[in-house]
Amino acid sequence: MNAKKICIVDDEPIGREVLGDALGLQGYDLLLFASGDELLHYLDTETPDVILLDVMMPGKDGFAVCRQIKADERHQHVPVILITALSGRQALLKGLEAGADEFLSKPVNVLELQARVRTMLRIKTQYDALQNAMSLREDLMHMVVHDMKHPIASAMAHCYFIQSANDKNEAVAEGVDVVLAQLRRLLGFADDILASARMDEGKFTLELSTIDLKQMIQSVLDEHQVLARLANIDLRAELPAQTSMQDVDYEILKRVLENLLSNALKYSEEGSSVTVCLQCPTPDRAIYRIEVHDLGPGIDPSYRERIFEKFEVAALKQSGVAQTGVGLAFSRKAIEAHGGVLYMKENQPHGSIFTIELPTEHEALQA
């Protein structure tokens, strides 16, 4: 088993020696640094298990170094114990604001030091175990999602075969259309999960091409007409007469619109309507705006940001909040990758309006 790495930072050699001697018989791998800059240089390539950081140092003091460590996503989880000769509430508050996990006062009590280090190591070990478990769960999820796509594709192929063999039977044709629509939704969910994971890992890249937004919207509407008809919902479009050319990732933006439209149909009341609007840029507004209006139950204002957070999905569903799912979290990330925004507001007299705004000129942000 590898020895736990303990970083000791103190500009005074005797300070480093005292702490090193107190921990030297505990089986730790001790790394001694004379300044915060030396520690930060080490952290460029390594991650220790605990950091003991003196507060009173020339140049960057311990508070500043601690803030810098906790601002770095790679090392936010590493416990930092501040060691200080300062006393009083202000010093404690300053340390807490810097992100310190523990405090020791000089002169350091050896038994107290050893106990605090053991506690911090236990916390770090639990954190590492949790991260490893989450990583394994993510890997398993990716495998399951990938495996799902093959039977879905196979079922879709059989649907096309049934359609071709019963091209004159309207009842069969409509039933197959419904099955195909639901299979496309399942395939879309799988793609959302995988794309969202790539975004989180920084491996997502847009494949931009110039398309007519109006044509894309009409295509998505046509694909959803069967589901709308079966749900007795009037699916409408308000599209401009002119072409609406924009550089986007066609498949990604189409998937976002499919998510919003599927949600709107799912939560709308029978006999109501869903409307998709496209507004072109104007002299005082250099954006394309796509809106999906529904007359469903709407969403409480306190939840309107949370529905776009993937880690809130389960809790919101358990609370009975409508129009939630992984698709919304993916959709916001996808629109932000295009340099745009996705938000939700209240419809009148009831329902929701989900709005996509895409700037006509932008440098696409990579998730």
Side-chain angles (χ1 to χ4, degrees):
M1 189 175 183
N2 293 332
K4 299 296 185 181
K5 293 180 181 179
I6 312 293
C7 290
I8 297 173
V9 188
D10 196 320
D11 63 300
E12 295 290 341
I14 192 169
R16 298 194 296 274
E17 184 179 331
V18 167
L19 296 175
D21 288 346
L23 298 172
L25 298 178
Q26 307 297 306
Y28 303 135
D29 182 6
L30 302 179
L31 302 121
L32 309 182
F33 302 95
S35 69
D37 285 329
E38 285 186 16
L39 170 69
L40 294 172
H41 180 70
Y42 169 80
L43 294 179
D44 283 338
T45 56
E46 301 290 339
T47 300
D49 294 290
V50 173
I51 297 171
L52 300 173
L53 183 59
D54 187 40
V55 169
M56 303 300 291
M57 296 187 294
K60 288 181 182 174
D61 64 15
F63 297 128
V65 175
C66 185
R67 276 194 297 272
Q68 196 163 338
I69 293 169
K70 294 299 183 178
D72 189 330
E73 289 185 359
R74 298 171 301 170
H75 307 304
Q76 287 175 342
H77 61 285
V78 177
V80 175
I81 302 176
L82 286 182
I83 300 176
T84 177
L86 300 174
S87 60
R89 188 167 178 269
Q90 285 302 112
L92 178 63
L93 288 175
K94 194 171 181 180
L96 290 171
E97 289 172 357
D101 300 278
E102 262 292 4
F103 300 86
L104 283 172
S105 299
K106 290 184 177 181
V108 173
N109 178 286
V110 171
L111 293 179
E112 185 179 6
L113 168 65
Q114 292 172 348
R116 297 287 175 86
V117 168
R118 283 196 299 271
T119 299
M120 291 298 102
L121 283 173
R122 186 163 59 250
I123 292 172
K124 173 67 163 47
T125 299
Q126 291 171 346
Y127 174 88
D128 289 344
L130 178 60
Q131 288 296 106
N132 185 55
M134 290 176 65
S135 177
L136 290 173
R137 188 181 66 178
E138 289 286 317
D139 290 343
L140 179 60
M141 180 194 71
H142 292 169
M143 290 170 58
V144 170
V145 171
H146 273 294
D147 289 346
M148 280 173 52
K149 295 182 74 171
H150 178 72
I152 292 172
S154 177
M156 291 177 71
H158 281 78
C159 284
Y160 293 130
F161 173 76
I162 294 170
Q163 271 187 331
S164 63
N166 297 271
D167 57 347
K168 295 181 180 179
N169 188 321
E170 292 184 7
V172 171
E174 185 166 281
V176 172
D177 282 341
V178 173
V179 174
L180 279 170
Q182 298 298 348
L183 287 171
R184 289 191 192 102
R185 287 189 69 199
L186 282 174
L187 198 58
F189 293 151
D191 288 337
D192 287 352
I193 293 170
L194 294 174
S196 184
R198 289 200 304 274
M199 289 177 183
D200 290 341
E201 295 167 2
K203 298 177 181 178
F204 177 76
T205 304
L206 295 176
E207 297 181 6
L208 299 177
S209 61
T210 303
I211 69 160
D212 186 345
L213 292 176
K214 184 173 71 171
Q215 287 185 358
M216 185 204 70
I217 292 170
Q218 190 61 60
S219 172
V220 174
L221 287 170
D222 292 344
E223 291 175 4
H224 285 73
Q225 284 295 350
V226 172
L227 292 179
R229 187 169 65 252
L230 290 175
N232 192 25
I233 294 172
D234 183 15
L235 182 54
R236 307 169 180 172
E238 294 180 4
L239 305 177
Q242 71 266 39
T243 58
S244 314
M245 308 308 291
Q246 174 75 336
D247 288 342
V248 299
D249 186 316
Y250 178 84
E251 293 299 331
I252 294 295
L253 185 59
K254 182 172 182 283
R255 182 65 202 137
V256 170
L257 187 55
E258 287 172 344
N259 279 333
L260 300 182
L261 196 51
S262 294
N263 261 5
L265 292 172
K266 180 178 179 181
Y267 292 102
S268 291
E269 297 177 1
E270 184 177 355
S272 66
S273 64
V274 170
T275 306
V276 181
C277 308
L278 173 62
Q279 299 172 14
C280 292
T282 63
D284 59 346
R285 189 189 72 235
I287 60 171
Y288 281 103
R289 180 178 290 144
I290 303 171
E291 295 181 343
V292 179
H293 299 237
D294 69 64
L295 295 173
I299 298 173
D300 187 277
S302 62
Y303 296 130
R304 288 179 189 169
E305 279 303 305
R306 293 176 63 192
I307 60 173
F308 295 104
E309 300 295 329
K310 73 174 184 179
F311 294 114
E312 296 279 359
V313 171
L316 291 176
K317 280 189 177 294
Q318 290 174 357
S319 301
V321 180
Q323 291 177 274
T324 60
V326 175
L328 287 179
F330 157 77
S331 296
R332 171 167 280 185
K333 287 183 179 181
I335 295 303
E336 289 175 349
H338 282 83
V341 294
L342 169 61
Y343 59 90
M344 175 263 165
K345 60 184 179 182
E346 185 179 1
N347 197 7
Q348 293 296 336
H350 58 85
S352 305
I353 301 175
F354 284 83
T355 302
I356 299 168
E357 292 184 353
L358 295 171
T360 54
E361 296 181 5
H362 68 274
E363 293 182 3
L365 305 176
Q366 301 307 311

